[in-house]
Amino acid sequence: MKIRALVLIFLLFFASFYAMDFINKSKEQLSLPKIKEQVEIKSGDLVFRKENSIISQMFSKIDESAYSHLAIALNIEDDVKLYHLEATEDEDDLKIQSVADFVTGAEKIAVYRFKDEINETKLKEILDEFIKNKPKFDFDFSLENENLYCTEFINEVFLKLNDKAIYSYLYDFYGKKGISINSILQNPDFEKRYEIEF
């Protein structure tokens, strides 16, 4: 009985501490613009996802990543579109989706932001060029051909944008070098904005 009482007191103290922390936040910290700034997706942000599927689980295990796929955001006048390369039954492998469509079926997402300012006009031109060229998904996962897989596509966008690769290492998968999700997540030029589990 004493243990239950102690646990109950501890839980009440813990809950009151977090309630006071929330109450003590200033109006400025709880304002809609401040909250929106925390969850806003800007042009150049990378949106990572992990789905509850066998394929997603398999891809996340390749380099022990928490995620299996990613997209790059383009935000024009508060209309956020996510660009990513994914093999589906559609004719086009380059997908342009709303955030809601991209996260459908996701069990977890995260948004990472490049530390330097993104040239939105240049990013749009690069993405428009990719749309025009209709890249194909690379089922060989090779860096030596013209087809692209999701992380390679994002790396190519940043190469054209900043003349700099965004992977921190090349992952060795049975003798084949590739760009893994983790090799991008570990790039110190990106910072995690937030992570959401569904």
Side-chain angles (χ1 to χ4, degrees):
M1 187 69 164
K2 285 184 178 180
I3 292 175
R4 285 185 182 169
L6 283 172
V7 168
L8 183 59
I9 290 169
F10 174 76
L11 289 175
L12 287 172
F13 174 76
F14 186 75
S16 68
F17 174 77
Y18 278 99
M20 289 306 295
D21 185 46
F22 179 77
I23 290 168
N24 289 331
K25 288 195 182 295
S26 69
K27 281 187 173 181
E28 145 73 32
Q29 290 171 307
L30 296 174
S31 69
L32 186 57
K34 189 70 174 172
I35 292 170
K36 186 178 178 184
E37 179 185 307
Q38 293 298 314
V39 296
E40 180 181 41
I41 296 177
K42 294 184 175 181
S43 290
D45 283 358
L46 299 183
V47 181
F48 294 83
R49 79 172 180 214
K50 174 136 183 228
E51 296 174 301
N52 188 12
S53 70
I54 293 171
I55 291 175
S56 182
Q57 301 294 332
M58 180 188 72
F59 277 111
S60 68
K61 292 294 181 196
I62 289 174
D63 196 13
E64 298 302 320
S65 173
Y67 305 97
S68 59
H69 193 60
L70 79 158
I72 186 167
L74 182 64
N75 186 344
I76 305 292
E77 297 175 10
D78 288 329
D79 182 24
V80 177
K81 295 295 181 199
L82 299 179
Y83 293 70
H84 61 107
L85 216 57
E86 184 174 44
T88 60
E89 295 172 3
D90 299 356
E91 190 172 304
D92 293 330
D93 292 337
L94 177 59
K95 309 294 187 237
I96 304 163
Q97 295 181 299
S98 68
V99 175
D101 287 342
F102 183 77
V103 303
T104 298
E107 60 183 29
K108 178 169 36 172
I109 65 163
V111 174
Y112 280 70
R113 183 163 297 152
F114 195 62
K115 290 182 179 177
D116 294 336
E117 192 67 32
I118 296 290
N119 181 333
E120 197 170 86
T121 303
K122 188 174 179 182
L123 176 60
K124 183 175 181 341
E125 289 169 1
I126 292 165
L127 293 171
D128 285 346
E129 188 68 24
F130 274 108
I131 291 168
K132 185 176 134 192
N133 292 335
K134 297 184 176 210
K136 293 294 178 197
F137 189 83
D138 185 4
F139 290 98
D140 291 330
F141 293 92
S142 171
L143 297 173
E144 306 296 325
N145 62 30
E146 62 186 40
N147 296 334
L148 303 168
Y149 50 94
C150 69
T151 52
E152 186 182 13
F153 166 67
I154 301 299
N155 186 66
E156 288 294 316
V157 170
F158 271 89
L159 271 173
K160 292 174 186 291
L161 191 61
N162 297 322
D163 296 320
K164 185 178 174 186
I166 62 167
Y167 57 85
S168 51
Y169 60 89
L170 288 175
Y171 182 73
D172 186 7
F173 187 71
Y174 296 104
K176 188 181 272 191
K177 300 285 187 193
I179 302 168
S180 68
I181 297 277
N182 261 349
S183 71
I184 295 172
L185 286 170
Q186 292 180 21
N187 182 332
D189 291 333
F190 286 92
E191 65 179 356
K192 186 194 301 189
R193 299 292 295 165
Y194 55 91
E195 181 176 69
I196 301 171
E197 292 193 40
F198 300 103

